[in-house]
């Protein structure tokens, strides 16, 4: 550490040269001039420029521009600067002129040129030169009354010299710059000002810290001139001032300002009023110190701590910075007590502010001192952009009994040049505050790697399940910075009033990166035992644990108590998630047979309430009926494969799940979860909880139609006919449906799934047969449905339950034979009107829809002596071309009965055995012992509809037998 001393040696004062010769000019105005004394103000009003000039010869003159003095043991050194102006057309040799200084005591001393100006021997035409001279004036200490006389050589006089004129320094002139004034330097437009004086006590010793501000208003870089600085007390004691490390070797850019700080140790009893700063520069050739300038110093101030809650403006690395001690917290960790101090730093400069490397100490009211260290590694190596703010946290371990009232924090900096730890600024700290949780749904801003994020516990809900409160929390984070930010893998826990900490699965926060101003909503879940107070919970956010680092909670949030809302059938609720804001509605709920159990089908409507188009994520369903988890059988069906939602657009999706038919429940919970990158990475999209579990199936009256409104498969469906195929063991109920397309383009019709329901709520699964080809606009499909029923079932009161079959995550159609149907949606109950079929009495108009057969003529021929009966019919066969059908499952059976009662059957196939068209014929042959028994009569033809092995008589008609005698066997008639 530098040891202060009184300077007993004489220091020569001379005008300094900064990269080229210049002199100090007039005083500059200052806002700090309010405390000037009247005498100082009067002195500042007089300038050397008022002394005029001395003519050396025609068009050549000289003027006194500057004078300084510095008292030293070997005599005071006076420096003065003359400006030679040559307005003639030829050069002027300075060897023809010289100057002398006369002191008030009568001493006369000839001026000598300082080394830096020794080379200036002439003044070119139409130019000027500044030349600085020095003299030793003995014990004189003031410039007042000094005279500078100008001489030229005159060899005609006895002394060979001639006095040309002179300059007398008046009593009101002072070479010392008054308090609060700045002094301007010529040529480089640099001004200097003694800016601040402070008195410090460090380790029992007293120091003066002095700040001198330099402002470069020119266009050239100013390099450190290497001044020597001295502090002179009002009593005449002189102390060398040493610059801080940052005050040496600097470069001052054009238009830049810099404050150079100097330190000197002084006696503790020395008065600090009326002190003077003297700047000097060594002239190595002359072996003396030349004065540069003297500044009157203001009264020194003490290092007064910044009041609580106030900020202070500091210069950090020549940058204006505003610093404020924001808060102090008392925390416990592993049985130890720590104080955590948050310091806000605002960069008011135009350059990036890097860490100045300050040491920070915490001081108690009782005098105990503790080192404060940055809470994280970046706190000790920060960079703050111009105009930005940053809060840096410091930690100190303290005794558990330490009183925290009236504590202070001090910034210090190690100075290598001075070999000292220098104080920078002291702040009074605010009272210790507890880490108060954010209020209900309040926004809380926290720092992540010195970038700010906005956090909020946006929504909460809880429902009871057994002895557990099942909590759902929606947590919002937003990046307030200008750079992308990856969130730490925060640890989350719920703090209970009883003192327990319940971990919360925070996996959703593990890999979150936010772009500037981007925000995300993150779903959190936790189970809290019901015996704990559910309305007094807090969510704690803690940065991930790092070995060797003390980790404290980053934030606390009150968890508002809110019971989970119920979803009512047809009522829309607004929900918000990371994809947007949606209106969600449980549009319908059905529970119907499926296989050997039941299947529930919930139709959910999702409406985009925002102005922007939303991309829907891939979803999976979690379904719970009371306490039974049905998720393993759950499927989501989006009929039109819609994946985007425009503004105010709605998508309908169905959630299917299987349940034992004997299981009754009162509450249904459905959650749709987003699958982003794997099964383990799941985010909830929406949640529905309802008690509306009454089966709702639209009923359609007999003879009426209903609509299928699924996009791409719109159709109108009605019963064409129903009938019963009886046998001795069961009845086969058979229904034909007419399905008319309502689409404006060719489309695949929905594959139907059907059950027959009895009045006793018995369900019989039905087989469905329909076309697999596309149907044009207004095109019709014939759909056949059938099932075998016990004989005791009353077939006159059946209702056909029809739904749209689904496979995987979409509707099925007949061409997807390899796809297993896993359920149905949009089921309706269609009342049937079964009718008994009355056989026709002739075969002139037989219908086996969509075919119609008309036998126009029939006859059998039997030749005498033959056993073959050949029967031929003429017919018309047509097919209704308005209908597309599936595989035709009906068979036409033709039974022919001869006069003896013997019958022969033939299965006829439409299109092959019987051709479609008019005036067609068909022949069938019967073999029997006809030659013995028949010689006339007729045959009876019965037509049957055979379906699934069961027959129904369509009609009967008899046709004549034409007996043809053998002419060869007839006796000749003569």
């Amino acid at each position: 550490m530098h040891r202060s001393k009184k300077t007993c040696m004489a220091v020569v004062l001379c005008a300094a040269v900064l990269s080229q010769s210049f002199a100090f000019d007039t005083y500059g105005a200052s806002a700090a001039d309010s405390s000037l004394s009247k005498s100082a103000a009067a002195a500042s009003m007089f300038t050397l420029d008022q002394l005029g000039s001395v003519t050396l010869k025609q068009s050549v003159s000289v003027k006194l521009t500057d004078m300084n003095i510095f008292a030293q043991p070997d005599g005071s050194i006076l420096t003065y600067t003359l400006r030679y102006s040559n307005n003639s057309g030829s050069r002027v040799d300075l060897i023809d002129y010289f100057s002398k200084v006369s002191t008030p005591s009568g001493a006369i001393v000839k001026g000598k040129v300082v080394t830096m100006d020794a080379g200036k021997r002439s003044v070119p035409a139409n130019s000027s030169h500044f030349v600085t001279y020095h003299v030793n004036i003995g014990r004189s200490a003031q410039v007042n009354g000094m005279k500078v006389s100008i001489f030229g050589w005159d060899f005609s006089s006895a002394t060979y010299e001639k006095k040309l004129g002179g300059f007398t320094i008046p009593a009101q002139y002072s070479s010392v710059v008054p308090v609060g004034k700045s002094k301007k330097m010529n040529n480089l437009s640099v001004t200097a000002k003694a800016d601040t004086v402070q008195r410090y006590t460090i380790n029992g010793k007293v120091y003066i810290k002095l700040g001198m501000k330099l402002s470069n208003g020119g266009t050239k870089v100013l390099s450190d001139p290497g001044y020597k600085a001295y502090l002179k007390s009002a009593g005449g004691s002189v102390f060398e001032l040493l610059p801080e490390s940052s005050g040496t070797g600097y470069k001052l850019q054009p238009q830049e300002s810099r404050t150079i700080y100097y330190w000197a140790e002084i006696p503790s009893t020395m008065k600090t009023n009326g002190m003077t700063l003297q700047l000097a520069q060594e002239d190595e050739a002359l072996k003396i110190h030349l004065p540069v300038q003297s500044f009157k110093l203001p009264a020194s101030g003490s290092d007064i701590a910044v009041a609580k809650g106030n900020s202070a403006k500091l210069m950090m690395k020549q940058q204006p910075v505003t610093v404020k001690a924001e808060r102090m917290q008392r925390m416990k960790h592993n049985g130890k007590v720590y104080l955590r101090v948050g310091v806000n730093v605002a960069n008011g400069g135009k350059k990036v502010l890097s860490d100045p490397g300050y040491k920070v100490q915490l001081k108690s009211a009782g005098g105990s001192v503790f080192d404060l260290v940055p809470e994280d590694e970046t706190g000790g190596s920060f960079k703050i952009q111009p105009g930005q703010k940053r809060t840096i946290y410091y930690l100190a371990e303290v005794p558990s009994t330490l009183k925290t009232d009236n504590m202070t924090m001090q910034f210090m900096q190690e100075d290598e040049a001075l070999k000292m730890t220098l104080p920078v600024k002291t702040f009074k700290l605010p009272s210790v505050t507890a880490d108060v949780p954010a209020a209900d749904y309040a926004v809380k801003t926290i720092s992540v790697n010195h970038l700010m994020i906005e956090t909020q516990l946006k929504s909460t809900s809880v429902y009871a399940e057994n002895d557990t409160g099942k909590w759902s929390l929606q947590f919002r984070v937003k990046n307030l910075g200008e750079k992308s930010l990856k969130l730490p893998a925060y640890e989350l826990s719920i703090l209970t009033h009883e003192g327990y900490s319940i971990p919360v699965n925070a996996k959703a926060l593990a890999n979150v990166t936010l772009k500037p101003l981007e925000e995300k909503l993150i779903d959190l879940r936790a189970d809290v035992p019901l015996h704990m107070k559910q309305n007094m919970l807090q969510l704690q956010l803690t940065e991930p644990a790092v070995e060797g680092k003390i980790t404290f909670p980053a934030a606390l949030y009150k968890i508002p108590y809110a019971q989970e809302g119920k979803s009512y059938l047809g009522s829309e609720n607004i929900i918000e998630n990371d994809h947007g804001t949606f209106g969600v509605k449980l549009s319908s709920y059905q529970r119907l047979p499926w296989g050997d159990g039941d299947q529930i089908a919930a139709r959910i409507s999702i409406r985009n309430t925002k102005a922007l188009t939303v991309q829907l994520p891939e979803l999976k369903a979690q379904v719970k009926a009371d306490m039974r988890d049905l998720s393993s059988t759950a499927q989501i069906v989006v009929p039109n494969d819609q994946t985007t939602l425009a503004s105010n657009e709605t998508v309908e999706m169905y959630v299917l799940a299987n349940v034992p038919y004997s299981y009754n429940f009162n509450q249904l919970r459905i959650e749709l979860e987003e699958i982003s990158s794997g099964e383990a990475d799941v985010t909830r999209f929406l949640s529905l909880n309802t008690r509306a579990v009454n089966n709702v199936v639209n009923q359609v009256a007999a003879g009426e139609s209903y609509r299928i409104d699924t996009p791409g498969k719109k159709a109108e469906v009605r019963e064409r006919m129903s009938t019963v195929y009886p046998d001795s063991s069961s009845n086969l109920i058979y229904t034909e449906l007419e399905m008319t397309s309502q689409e404006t383009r060719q489309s695949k019709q929905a594959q139907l799934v059907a059950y027959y329901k009895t009045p006793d709520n018995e369900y019989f699964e039905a087989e469905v047969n329909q076309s697999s080809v596309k149907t044009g606009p207004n095109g019709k499909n014939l759909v056949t449905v059938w099932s075998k029923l016990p004989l005791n079932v009353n077939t006159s009161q059946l209702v056909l339950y029809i739904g749209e079959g689904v496979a995987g995550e979409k509707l099925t159609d007949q061409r997807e034979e390899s796809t297993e149907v896993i359920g149905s949606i949009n089921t309706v109950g269609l009342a049937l009107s079964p009718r008994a079929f009355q056989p026709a009495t002739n075969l002139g108009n037989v219908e086996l829809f969509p075919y119609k057969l008309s036998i126009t003529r029939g006859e059998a021929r039997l030749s005498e002596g033959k056993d073959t009966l050949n029967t031929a019919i003429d017919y018309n066969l047509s097919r209704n071309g308005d209908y597309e059908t599936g595989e035709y499952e009906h068979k036409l059976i033709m039974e022919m009965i001869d006069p003896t009662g013997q019958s022969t059957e033939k299965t006829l196939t439409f299109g092959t055995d019987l051709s479609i068209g008019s005036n067609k014929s068909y022949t069938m042959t019967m073999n029997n012992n006809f030659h013995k028994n028949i010689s006339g009569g007729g045959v009876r033809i019965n037509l049957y509809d055979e379906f699934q092995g069961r027959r129904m008589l369509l009609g009967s008609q008899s046709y004549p037998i034409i007996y043809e005698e053998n002419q060869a066997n007839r006796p000749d008639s003569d």
Side-chain angles (χ1 to χ4, degrees), residues 115-146:
T115 302
M116 191 169 292
D117 289 345
K120 298 177 181 179
R121 294 183 174 88
S122 63
V123 182
N126 296 310
S127 64
S128 62
H129 272 333
F130 290 89
V131 181
T132 300
Y133 302 86
H134 70 93
V135 294
N136 189 324
I137 57 174
R139 295 296 179 183
S140 297
Q142 301 291 332
V143 298
N144 310 82
M146 295 287 180

Side-chain angles (χ1 to χ4, degrees), residues 596-661:
D596 57 358
D598 281 356
Q599 185 178 79
I600 59 175
R603 178 159 60 99
I604 299 172
S605 301
I606 302 175
R607 180 175 63 87
N608 178 15
T609 65
K610 295 297 185 181
L612 298 178
T613 298
V614 174
Q615 178 73 38
L616 295 176
E618 181 183 357
L619 298 172
K620 73 172 185 178
Q622 299 290 327
V623 181
K624 214 170 189 180
D626 283 349
M627 296 299 295
R628 184 176 291 231
D629 192 348
L630 309 178
S631 303
S632 61
T633 65
Q635 295 279 347
I636 297 177
V637 177
V638 183
N640 58 351
D641 295 329
Q642 188 171 355
T643 59
T644 59
L645 279 181
S647 177
N648 210 40
E649 187 178 9
T650 300
V651 64
E652 302 278 357
M653 57 179 61
Y654 298 79
V655 176
L656 309 181
N658 297 337
V659 60
Y661 82 91

Side-chain angles (χ1 to χ4, degrees), residues 219-516:
T219 59
K220 298 180 181 180
V221 176
L222 171 67
S223 299
D224 176 19
Y227 292 155
K228 295 285 187 180
Y230 298 90
L231 180 69
K232 184 178 180 180
S233 71
S237 299
V238 178
F239 305 89
E240 186 177 2
L241 286 160
L242 296 179
E244 294 181 357
S245 297
S246 60
T248 60
Y250 60 83
K251 289 183 181 295
L252 194 63
Q253 300 295 326
Q255 308 305 315
E256 184 182 9
S257 296
R258 178 185 290 262
T259 301
I260 310 300
Y261 291 100
Y262 298 89
W263 290 77
E265 183 183 347
I266 64 171
S268 61
T269 57
M270 189 182 91
K271 295 182 179 180
T272 57
N273 294 329
M275 295 190 299
T276 303
L277 165 66
Q278 294 182 323
L279 300 177
Q281 194 168 38
E282 185 179 6
D283 190 319
E284 295 182 358
L286 298 175
K287 306 299 183 187
I288 59 175
H289 286 81
L290 302 176
V292 175
Q293 187 60 53
S294 299
F295 295 85
K296 203 70 175 177
L297 297 178
S300 66
S302 301
D303 181 28
I304 301 175
V306 180
K308 294 179 182 179
N310 290 353
S311 59
K313 292 185 177 180
L314 307 178
M315 293 298 293
M316 291 185 184
K317 292 191 170 184
Q318 300 303 318
Q319 290 272 91
V321 177
T322 302
V323 180
K324 180 181 179 181
E326 287 188 320
R327 63 186 308 197
M328 181 168 63
Q329 298 169 277
R330 187 177 187 272
M331 299 179 174
K332 292 183 179 180
H333 181 76
N334 292 336
K336 297 180 180 180
V337 177
Y338 295 86
L339 289 180
R340 183 178 187 244
V341 179
V343 180
N344 184 268
V345 180
N347 182 5
K350 298 179 179 180
K351 299 179 180 179
V352 176
L353 174 67
S354 58
D355 176 29
Y358 289 161
K359 292 184 177 180
V360 191
Q361 286 188 335
L362 183 70
K363 187 176 181 180
S364 71
S368 300
V369 178
F370 308 91
D371 287 332
L372 283 164
V373 297
E375 185 177 44
D376 57 52
E377 63 276 3
T378 59
S381 59
F382 60 80
K383 289 184 182 295
I384 303 178
Q385 299 295 324
Q388 284 191 341
K389 297 180 180 180
R390 179 173 295 177
T391 299
I392 301 170
Y393 290 94
Y394 297 90
L395 293 175
E397 183 182 349
V398 299
S400 59
T401 57
L402 181 73
K403 294 183 178 180
T404 57
D405 297 332
N406 301 318
M407 301 193 78
T408 58
M409 174 189 68
Q410 187 176 48
F411 288 110
M412 298 174 295
Q413 190 168 35
E414 189 73 30
D415 194 288
E416 295 180 0
L418 298 176
K419 301 295 190 293
M420 291 175 58
T421 300
L422 303 177
V424 177
K425 200 65 181 176
T426 302
F427 294 82
K428 290 183 179 180
L429 294 178
S431 301
V432 168
T433 58
D435 197 5
V436 179
D440 293 356
Y441 310 115
V443 172
K444 190 176 185 68
T445 302
I446 61 177
S447 174
V448 178
N449 296 330
H450 302 292
L451 297 175
M452 303 309 295
I453 64 170
E454 186 177 276
T455 65
Q456 182 187 17
L457 192 54
K458 191 170 180 63
S459 69
T460 64
S461 65
V462 62
Y463 67 92
E465 188 175 277
N466 290 335
D467 58 352
T468 301
K470 310 287 281 189
W471 279 93
S472 295
L473 312 174
Q474 194 177 62
F475 190 70
R476 184 180 70 88
V477 290
K478 180 179 181 179
N479 181 7
L480 299 179
E482 299 175 353
K483 298 179 180 179
S484 292
L485 171 67
K486 183 176 182 181
L487 296 183
Y490 284 116
E491 297 174 1
L492 289 166
S493 58
I494 288 180
L495 306 181
T496 72
H497 178 70
E498 294 78 8
Y500 293 94
S501 177
I502 300 173
V504 177
N505 186 344
K507 196 168 185 178
L509 278 169
N511 295 298
V512 175
T513 298
L514 297 174
K515 297 176 182 177

Side-chain angles (χ1 to χ4, degrees), residues 23-29 44-50 65-66 173 177-178 181-186 190-192 293 295:
F24 285 100
D25 204 351
T26 56
Y27 303 139
S44 67
M45 293 173 63
F46 184 86
T47 64
L48 296 179
D49 187 62
Q50 294 173 257
T65 61
D66 189 44
Y173 177 77
V177 179
K181 291 290 185 177
S182 60
K183 196 71 179 290
K184 187 176 181 181
M185 301 177 184
N186 287 332
V190 177
T191 58
Q293 187 60 53
F295 295 85

Side-chain angles (χ1 to χ4, degrees), residues 708 715-717 737-741 749-750 770 779-781 783:
I708 293 175
E716 183 180 22
V717 182
L737 301 175
E738 180 183 283
M739 185 160 63
T740 305
S741 173
Q749 296 297 291
Q770 63 189 99
K780 296 181 179 182
N781 270 276
V783 182

Side-chain angles (χ1 to χ4, degrees), residues 813-833:
D813 60 67
Q814 282 297 107
R815 290 206 288 186
E816 297 176 318
E817 297 178 358
S818 61
T819 303
E820 180 184 0
V821 178
I822 53 93
S824 65
I825 60 174
N826 299 329
T827 299
V828 300
L830 178 63
L832 302 178
S833 300

